[in-house]
Amino acid sequence: MKGVWRCWPPLLVALLLAVGQGAAQAALPSVYLEDLTWPELQAAQREGARTVIIPIGGTEQNGPHMALGKHNARVRVLAGRIASELGQAVVAPVLAYVPESRGHLKFPGTIDTPPEAFGALLAAAAKSLRRGGFTEIVLLGDSGDYQAQLQALAEQLSREWQRKGALPSARVHYVGVYYREALAAFRQRLRELGHSESEIGVHAGLLDTALLMATVPGMVRGESLAEAALQSPANGVTGDPRAATAAVGREGADLIVRESVQALRRARASTN
């Protein structure tokens, strides 16, 4: 068999291998774990799909113009894109119950979870996924309130799981670039397009709204953008979303996906 491969042009061999790998990945009906049957998932794991992304969102007020589930819907879409581009990866169900900022709690619909309960639930989910055959578990958070806790939990579980035991060795990866570096780069891009910091905002402003328009547009209420632009503690907005567009948001979404995929490729390579 080796002699046969040597007779073929290297470019053709590489193309055939790539097609074969793509077919194995495409055989899954979905990258979302909850859409799969267990035999489908088990077959994918046998082909090398040992990475699982746990998307973490949050249920909180997002001004008068965006739905309460903004973080949950957005992180699900972006996690799906990341898994598809990364390859050999699936996406676990979104965790929608998280610790929330005090300022959000005065608005109806915001759901706050104690940090201890949040951490225990995440750890239990990660341990279940490890028991189910995953060796690369990724924590992907869409909100800023719990980023430090995600990082600490990833480091803690990774240390514990590197010890010898009945289960295979596994790692937990915290993808800080998804929230911090990628959003900082998108913020800079918005400045280059001529938008001010007061427009871009830090919550439910131009940046936040554009990203949701690009990922789950039906969750944005266009008729309420003018009300949102008032930027007051009473409406829960810091920023001016009126200039937000799906086209601008796609630039940010593409940047977040690209940077996250690169970070995860580096992380997976360091454990192989």
Side-chain angles (χ1 to χ4, degrees):
M1 187 64 183
K2 290 181 179 178
V4 173
W5 282 106
R6 288 196 188 101
C7 295
W8 291 11
L11 184 59
L12 180 58
V13 172
L15 178 61
L16 290 172
L17 288 173
V19 169
Q21 290 169 355
Q25 183 72 5
L28 277 177
S30 171
V31 295
Y32 295 105
L33 184 147
E34 57 196 327
D35 293 340
L36 305 175
T37 66
W38 73 259
E40 290 169 341
L41 179 59
Q42 189 177 70
Q45 289 178 328
R46 286 173 180 156
E47 293 295 325
R50 295 304 181 99
T51 298
V52 60
I53 298 172
I54 303 179
I56 301 115
T59 307
E60 65 184 31
Q61 74 83 18
N62 292 290
H65 63 300
M66 289 195 291
L68 291 153
K70 172 198 75 181
H71 285 302
N72 304 321
R74 189 166 69 194
V75 76
R76 187 177 193 272
V77 170
L78 293 176
R81 287 186 55 187
I82 291 167
S84 296
E85 292 196 24
L86 184 64
Q88 304 291 16
V90 298
V91 179
V94 175
L95 179 55
Y97 302 96
V98 307
E100 291 288 353
S101 298
R102 178 173 296 181
H104 295 323
L105 299 181
K106 63 183 179 181
F107 294 88
T110 297
I111 301 176
D112 181 42
T113 301
E116 299 78 14
F118 172 68
L121 180 56
L122 260 182
K127 289 173 183 176
S128 294
L129 291 166
R130 181 197 182 197
R131 191 177 300 110
F134 291 103
T135 56
E136 306 285 345
I137 298 170
V138 179
L139 304 183
L140 198 72
D142 200 71
S143 180
D145 295 324
Y146 45 71
Q147 295 292 322
Q149 190 172 359
L150 295 186
Q151 184 173 11
L153 180 63
E155 293 171 354
Q156 173 195 331
L157 290 177
S158 291
R159 283 193 303 269
E160 291 177 4
W161 294 356
Q162 291 306 301
R163 301 169 188 161
K164 291 182 179 179
L167 293 174
S169 179
R171 287 283 302 273
V172 181
H173 304 288
Y174 162 67
V175 189
V177 67
Y178 174 93
Y179 182 79
R180 293 192 180 117
E181 290 86 346
L183 282 183
F186 184 35
R187 183 176 294 276
Q188 177 58 34
R189 175 58 180 153
L190 292 174
R191 292 192 202 101
E192 293 169 359
L193 292 173
H195 298 292
S196 66
E197 285 294 336
S198 62
E199 281 183 292
I200 296 169
V202 295
H203 182 76
L206 190 157
L207 182 151
D208 217 1
T209 306
L211 280 177
L212 193 61
M213 286 179 168
T215 50
V216 196
M219 299 185 81
V220 178
R221 311 291 191 257
E223 71 278 6
S224 298
L225 290 175
E227 180 185 353
L230 296 174
Q231 305 189 49
S232 76
N235 68 7
V237 177
T238 305
D240 185 345
R242 287 176 295 179
T245 66
V248 169
R250 278 191 290 273
E251 287 194 48
D254 291 346
L255 193 157
I256 290 168
V257 171
R258 181 172 64 250
E259 294 296 322
S260 298
V261 168
Q262 290 176 358
L264 280 170
R265 282 177 177 156
R266 290 191 296 269
R268 289 204 305 196
S270 71
T271 61
N272 293 332

